[in-house]
Amino acid sequence: MRKFIPIAVIVGIILIGIFWVVGMQNTALGYDQAVKKEWGNVETAYQRRNDLIGNLVNTVKGAADFEKSTLTAVIEARAKATSVTIDPSNVTPEQLQAFNAAQSGVSSSLSRLLVSVEQYPTLKANENFLKLQDELASTENQILTARTRFNEQAQIYNGYVLKIPQKWFLSGYPEKPYFKSVEGADKPVEVKF
């Protein structure tokens, strides 16, 4: 009986090690899924904005004899933004930067559209336009919130998988990039009439 005690201790240590590694993998998987969920929320907020832009453009077209170049810029920026997609399971900083740049183009052209609209009093009084403008402002806040939550989840995930000893066992879980502001976002927006 005594000769089986060392074998039982060794088997026990091995089982504890296996359960520890499995627990570590399951925790990393949970954090990875949380990051993917938050990325889905980011995409949902951007999709809402893209859907609203179509309605906004149609409302502006119907209510004003409007600058075609501004409308064209909004439509092209929206098309470019919807063509950039990211797989959240293997997102790279470069992919995130390209996505962010495309979405920034939408924001920029949308700002120009809304500033240009100031010249059309009948459009400014249009109830549908005002509702759409409010919806866009609300959507921009939702995008900010979704991006912030994504960054928070990426921080939790990265903090877990990059710590030692997890880093030694979780090589299949690469670091997730964060959303960063686009170049020039630190400067105030120049509005011209």
Side-chain angles (χ1 to χ4, degrees):
M1 213 31 143
R2 286 189 176 246
K3 63 181 177 178
F4 292 117
I5 292 177
I7 294 172
V9 168
I10 291 171
V11 168
I13 291 172
I14 290 172
L15 286 175
I16 289 171
I18 289 171
F19 286 128
W20 178 69
V21 170
V22 167
M24 190 185 318
Q25 291 276 343
N26 287 338
T27 301
L29 179 64
Y31 289 145
D32 185 53
Q33 291 300 309
V35 170
K36 288 177 183 175
K37 175 188 152 272
E38 291 304 332
W39 178 252
N41 292 341
V42 168
E43 287 183 326
T44 299
Y46 279 121
Q47 182 61 49
R48 182 172 191 263
R49 179 173 71 174
N50 288 334
D51 294 345
L52 286 171
I53 288 171
N55 292 333
L56 180 69
V57 167
N58 290 335
T59 301
V60 171
K61 270 185 189 175
D65 178 22
F66 203 70
E67 265 182 58
K68 286 188 178 181
S69 63
T70 305
L71 285 174
T72 303
V74 171
I75 292 166
E76 287 174 357
R78 177 182 174 223
K80 183 177 179 184
T82 56
S83 70
V84 177
T85 57
I86 292 179
D87 176 11
S89 59
N90 57 8
V91 64
T92 65
E94 294 80 21
Q95 289 173 325
L96 196 57
Q97 186 177 9
F99 181 85
N100 209 12
Q103 294 300 333
S104 175
V106 173
S107 296
S108 174
S109 62
L110 203 50
S111 296
R112 285 193 309 269
L113 172 67
L114 294 175
V115 166
S116 300
V117 161
E118 293 295 319
Q119 301 168 4
Y120 296 89
T122 57
L123 182 59
K124 288 192 319 187
N126 181 317
E127 193 175 319
N128 288 338
F129 178 76
L130 294 174
K131 283 181 184 176
L132 281 169
Q133 207 172 8
D134 287 343
E135 285 295 320
L136 279 170
S138 169
T139 300
E140 291 300 324
N141 288 333
Q142 289 177 2
I143 289 170
L144 172 65
T145 301
R147 289 173 62 165
T148 301
R149 288 181 180 160
F150 173 83
N151 281 348
E152 289 168 354
Q153 279 302 313
Q155 178 188 15
I156 292 168
Y157 168 88
N158 289 340
Y160 184 77
V161 300
L162 296 176
K163 282 182 187 173
I164 294 177
Q166 288 94 313
K167 188 174 182 172
W168 298 333
F169 297 98
L170 299 174
S171 61
Y173 291 89
E175 181 178 1
K176 303 282 186 197
Y178 296 102
F179 265 107
K180 295 178 184 166
S181 63
V182 292
E183 197 170 315
D186 55 336
K187 296 179 180 92
V189 176
E190 184 180 330
V191 178
K192 293 180 183 177
F193 290 99

